[in-house]
Amino acid sequence: MPRTGRPFSVRMANLGPLGWVSDRRGYRYQPTHPLTGRPWPPIPEPLLALWREHVGGCEPECCLVNFYGPGAKMGLHRDEDEEARDVPVLSVSLGDAAIFRVGGPTRRGPTVRLRLDSGDVVLLAGASRLCYHGIDRILPGTSDLVPGGGRINLTLRRVTRPGRDGGLVGESG
Ligand SMILES: O=C(O)CCC(=O)C(=O)O
Ligand SMILES: [Mn+2]
């Protein structure tokens, strides 16, 4: 975590041309793994198809892979490290259910809780794109999808502003 250097309870990896990483210096997107220096693996086609179905217009550049063990949680935050803050964020929940909390554009406003089950898709679009949200807790033992238990969340985001061509991944110039 920024400043303290303490580990998140959520374990993270990335797929796609840009990965979201965090260390004492803060949060950022970068094309390579911070320890191995290698590029992130590509975003699998079924996830790109899901994005085209629900978002479209441009390609996602980052698929953040969050792994939640039984005690993991994610505090209330907004997804605001992207230049393309008007492009929706799409996420897929797999494995154990989670209690998702979502509020409004300010940290202090009222929030509601939603249970996310394996296979649920969340789209933060329009006014909800910059709403505060987080994961209160995992409900261990509610799915046997992930070997050994736990929850995997796949969050697809556009990072850079799409160009006139929609900024298709793999296109240059
Ligand atoms: O795990 C989730 O459902 C939410 C993840 C999230 O908000 C994030 O990675 O920014
Ligand atoms: Mn988020």
Side-chain angles (χ1 to χ4, degrees), residues 1-10 12 20-29 74-78 80-81 107:
M1 294 174 77
R3 290 188 301 278
T4 65
R6 284 176 47 208
F8 288 108
S9 62
V10 179
M12 295 172 184
W20 185 85
V21 300
S22 170
D23 58 19
R24 282 179 195 273
R25 285 186 288 148
Y27 308 129
R28 66 190 171 276
Y29 283 95
M74 190 178 286
L76 269 190
H77 67 278
R78 306 201 295 176
E80 57 187 3
D81 298 326
R107 185 178 284 282

Side-chain angles (χ1 to χ4, degrees), residues 64 66 68 74 77 79 91 93 100 116 133-135 151 153 155 157:
L64 175 62
N66 289 313
Y68 297 77
M74 190 178 286
H77 67 278
D79 289 10
S91 84
S93 294
F100 180 71
L116 296 181
H133 60 276
I135 294 291
R151 171 176 186 261
N153 166 263
T155 287
R157 304 188 187 117

Side-chain angles (χ1 to χ4, degrees), residues 67-73 96 137-140 148-151:
F67 175 77
Y68 297 77
K73 55 191 175 191
D96 284 338
R137 63 194 172 93
I138 300 306
L139 306 178
R151 171 176 186 261

